């Protein structure tokens, strides 16, 4: 199913839409926790703290939007309250592991330096994806005259991407070459996730 068509289908059904918002909230929260986990015990930059804080705020904002559909829906991140829960939980974790494996081979880094490199490249890949996903979602919301909006997230994610590029320029002169490898890994995982979400949505529509 084409992505815009999938999102239109999700937005048109309240319970499915609540699960989608909750799934995005879970992923934003998982991203924030990954960023915090990658922090050096002493050498933590202001920008890294800013990213973690903003991802946590996105998770909270998306969770709060569920109340506009039904305040009783999706109060936790239990499997029954997420779309494609297994693929959703594996997506970022698998990206992190595969990216670390590649970066270690490419740069031969210490444990702390590998954490930082993973933060840079994984966050970059996620921001590239967010820059594609949220505008399509917002378009579907606008077309359905939904009370829910993600415009504020779109603006912040654009800023994040710019900040990640600046940090990557400082990290390595040929970062784009390595980023292409990470983006290829992410694309494969994203497609698997979207396929699982599509399957879940189709099952829910027949339930």
């Amino acid at each position: 199913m084409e992505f815009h068509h999938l999102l239109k289908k999700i937005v048109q059904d309240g319970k499915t839409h609540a699960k989608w918002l909750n799934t995005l909230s879970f992923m934003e929260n998982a991203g924030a926790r990954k960023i915090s986990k990658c922090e050096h015990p002493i050498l933590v930059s202001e920008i890294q703290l800013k990213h973690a804080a903003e991802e946590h705020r996105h998770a909270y904002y998306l969770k709060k939007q569920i109340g506009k559909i039904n305040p009783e829906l999706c109060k936790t991140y239990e499997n029954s309250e997420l779309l494609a829960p297994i693929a959703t939980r594996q997506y970022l974790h698998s990206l992190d592991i595969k990216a670390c494996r590649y970066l270690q081979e490419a740069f031969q880094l210490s444990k702390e330096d590998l954490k930082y490199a993973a933060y840079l490249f994984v966050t970059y890949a996620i921001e590239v994806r967010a820059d594609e996903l949220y505008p399509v979602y917002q378009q579907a919301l606008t077309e359905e005259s939904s009370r829910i909006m993600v415009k504020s997230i779109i603006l912040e994610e654009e800023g994040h991407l710019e900040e990640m590029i600046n940090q990557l320029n400082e990290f390595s002169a040929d970062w784009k070459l390595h980023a292409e490898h990470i983006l290829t890994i992410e694309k494969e995982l994203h497609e698997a996730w979207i396929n699982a979400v599509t399957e879940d949505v189709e099952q829910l529509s027949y339930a």
Side-chain angles (χ1 to χ4, degrees):
M1 194 187 297
E2 190 263 331
F3 188 50
H4 180 252
H5 180 57
L6 170 66
L7 285 178
K8 279 198 72 130
K9 196 167 184 177
I10 286 169
V11 170
Q12 285 166 356
D13 180 75
K15 283 185 180 177
T16 308
H17 194 187
K19 281 190 175 189
W20 170 251
L21 280 163
N22 202 38
T23 301
L24 291 180
S25 175
F26 170 86
M27 293 175 98
E28 292 280 358
N29 189 49
R33 289 167 68 192
K34 287 275 184 196
I35 290 170
S36 296
K37 206 174 173 183
C38 288
E39 285 174 8
H40 189 279
I42 302 160
L43 309 172
V44 187
S45 67
E46 183 184 330
I47 205 159
Q48 203 166 349
L49 291 172
K50 177 176 175 276
H51 282 175
E54 287 176 352
E55 298 301 311
H56 267 131
R57 192 170 74 250
H58 293 171
Y60 167 69
Y61 176 83
L62 291 160
K63 193 82 168 172
K64 208 166 184 297
Q65 297 302 298
I66 296 166
K68 292 179 181 177
I69 299 168
N70 183 338
E72 297 306 309
L73 293 173
C74 302
K75 292 187 173 182
T76 71
Y77 291 139
E78 288 180 70
N79 282 0
S80 60
E81 296 181 326
L82 297 170
L83 288 174
I86 295 166
T88 294
R89 292 183 193 281
Q90 286 176 346
Y91 174 43
L92 194 57
H93 184 61
S94 297
L95 178 58
D96 202 30
I97 289 168
K98 290 181 178 188
C100 281
R101 202 174 291 147
Y102 170 80
L103 292 167
Q104 183 55 33
E105 283 178 16
F107 293 102
Q108 307 298 308
L109 300 163
S110 68
K111 189 181 175 185
E112 288 302 333
D113 287 343
L114 179 60
K115 275 186 182 180
Y116 182 66
Y119 154 66
L120 293 179
F121 284 94
V122 171
T123 306
Y124 170 74
I126 292 299
E127 296 304 342
V128 169
R129 178 60 60 196
D131 259 24
E132 292 179 10
L133 185 148
Y134 280 112
V136 181
Y137 179 31
Q138 181 57 57
Q139 187 186 345
L141 291 168
T142 304
E143 286 170 2
E144 291 300 315
S145 304
S146 176
R147 291 167 62 214
I148 292 156
M149 291 178 76
V150 290
K151 286 178 182 176
S152 61
I153 294 179
I154 292 168
L155 284 172
E156 283 194 345
E157 297 291 16
E158 284 172 358
H160 286 180
L161 186 56
E162 202 175 308
E163 287 162 350
M164 294 319 298
I165 290 168
N166 291 338
Q167 288 180 95
L168 283 161
N169 278 325
E170 288 174 19
F171 179 80
S172 170
D174 60 352
W175 70 268
K176 287 182 182 176
L177 174 73
H178 301 290
E180 282 305 316
H181 285 274
I182 307 301
L183 289 173
T184 301
I185 293 167
E186 188 280 334
K187 186 171 185 268
E188 195 178 304
L189 292 167
H190 176 77
E191 283 173 0
W193 176 64
I194 286 295
N195 287 340
V197 169
T198 302
E199 203 174 302
D200 223 355
V201 169
E202 285 175 342
Q203 282 176 357
L204 285 167
S205 65
Y206 290 121

